[in-house]
Amino acid sequence: MNSNNDKLKEIVKQKYSDIALQGKETGCCCGSTPKKEVYNIMSDDYSTLEGYNEDADLGLGCGLPTQYAGIKKGNTVIDLGSGAGNDCFIAQAEVGNEGKVIGVDFSESMIEKAKANAEKRGIQNVSFRQGDIEDMPVSAGRADVVISNCVLNLLPSKDRIFHEIYRVLKAGGHFCISDVVLNGEIPEKLKQAAEMYVGCVSGAIPKAQYLEKIKEAGFTEITICKEKPIIIPDEILKEYLNEDEMNAFKTINGNAIASITVTATKKQRVVLVVDVVKRI
């Protein structure tokens, strides 16, 4: 199992390293057609937000987690799978100069691209660390808020990731994550296609299972802030399914894939003060 997980992670790492080097026009969150036409079918529009950096927006998201993250001035925010830094720069505008943002990504090429984007903008309080979000290079209790955009779905050990998020959050801290989940079945041909796995679809798990893993990690106040269906264009589906399979998929499970933005909170520590009266 570990060997298979490592293999999948290497596929993801290589794909996103390629995207970092080639740019937005050649990569997107849901794959591409043989003509390399890009379908940013899940991305939300960041362009009007303070802190937006077009060079850092590679069109790889499936939501806008900062919208519901409740980030405050002075917060420390960790962005998991930070890519070229897009969500980090949005978060930096919200934490202000007195806060801090840490981006974590396992692609060296993405880290280099993010650092270059930060340097061009003269941003001092955003840093980027190369590392595996299943074993974050971050000390325990470091963050007020953890965000992530269409990344956890790519990796196999989601339960381990949620436990890591719990570890790095301060007591009373919270996360806001946009990710892909299933509300129905998708054909095995889509699940098994490596390109679709990298494209955020075949690595998805059922929504109920996803939420249960959050609960099992110890989080409370689990809330889905936004949910939207993801409709895969025919041009992509026909790469993996024949016409009958496509029609069956769209008729029965056309809304099987969804993007959710979910928040949850790490419990506050409960301190009991006991007065001990010594009797003489």
Side-chain angles (χ1 to χ4, degrees), residues 18-27 58 113:
D18 292 344
I19 291 173
L21 294 172
Q22 296 172 24
K24 183 175 182 177
E25 68 276 7
T26 57
L58 299 180
K113 191 176 187 71

Side-chain angles (χ1 to χ4, degrees), residues 80-100:
L80 305 182
S82 49
N86 191 36
D87 286 287
C88 287
F89 300 134
I90 302 297
Q92 189 275 337
E94 297 189 12
V95 302
N97 292 331
E98 60 268 43
K100 185 176 180 62

Side-chain angles (χ1 to χ4, degrees), residues 240-254:
Y240 305 97
L241 306 176
N242 61 39
E243 186 174 352
D244 289 340
E245 291 169 333
M246 281 177 56
N247 290 334
F249 173 68
K250 289 189 290 184
T251 300
I252 300 171
N253 290 308

Side-chain angles (χ1 to χ4, degrees), residues 35-258:
K35 294 181 180 180
K36 303 300 181 184
E37 297 169 346
V38 174
Y39 292 89
N40 293 314
I41 59 178
M42 298 191 286
S43 298
D44 281 12
D45 183 15
Y46 278 80
S47 60
T48 61
L49 298 180
E50 185 179 357
Y52 177 74
N53 182 345
E54 186 175 2
D55 291 340
D57 183 7
L58 299 180
L60 299 173
C62 61
L64 211 171
T66 54
Q67 182 178 8
Y68 302 98
I71 298 170
K72 299 177 181 178
K73 294 291 184 184
N75 277 173
T76 294
V77 177
I78 297 176
D79 179 21
L80 305 182
S82 49
N86 191 36
D87 286 287
C88 287
F89 300 134
I90 302 297
Q92 189 275 337
E94 297 189 12
V95 302
N97 292 331
E98 60 268 43
K100 185 176 180 62
V101 181
I102 302 169
V104 179
D105 200 286
F106 65 1
S107 166
E108 183 178 355
S109 298
M110 282 292 190
I111 292 292
E112 291 176 356
K113 191 176 187 71
K115 287 181 176 179
N117 285 329
E119 186 176 352
K120 281 191 294 185
R121 295 177 67 87
I123 297 174
Q124 302 296 319
N125 60 332
V126 176
S127 61
F128 297 95
R129 303 179 185 181
Q130 185 178 4
D132 192 333
I133 62 176
E134 293 178 11
D135 186 18
M136 285 186 234
V138 179
S139 58
R142 184 75 177 86
D144 297 287
V145 184
V146 171
I147 60 173
S148 187
N149 195 349
C150 209
V151 172
L152 273 61
N153 171 72
L154 298 171
L155 301 174
S157 300
K158 296 172 183 63
D159 49 353
R160 183 173 173 180
I161 296 170
F162 284 122
H163 279 87
E164 270 292 274
I165 294 172
Y166 193 91
R167 181 185 67 81
V168 302
L169 277 171
K170 298 175 182 177
H174 62 277
F175 71 71
C176 186
I177 291 171
S178 295
D179 214 350
V180 177
V181 296
L182 300 180
N183 288 318
E185 294 293 324
I186 61 174
E188 286 297 322
K189 289 183 179 180
L190 292 186
K191 290 181 182 179
Q192 296 172 358
E195 182 71 16
M196 292 300 286
Y197 184 90
V198 172
C200 311
V201 176
S202 67
I205 63 175
K207 180 171 66 177
Q209 183 181 351
Y210 192 97
L211 298 176
E212 184 61 27
K213 288 182 180 296
I214 296 173
K215 183 178 178 181
E216 289 173 353
F219 288 99
T220 60
E221 302 175 27
I222 302 167
T223 304
I224 295 178
C225 302
K226 183 178 180 180
E227 180 170 353
K228 60 181 181 180
I230 295 169
I231 309 301
I232 304 177
D234 288 354
E235 289 86 343
I236 293 177
L237 287 176
K238 70 183 181 182
E239 294 185 47
Y240 305 97
L241 306 176
N242 61 39
E243 186 174 352
D244 289 340
E245 291 169 333
M246 281 177 56
N247 290 334
F249 173 68
K250 289 189 290 184
T251 300
I252 300 171
N253 290 308
N255 294 322
I257 307 166

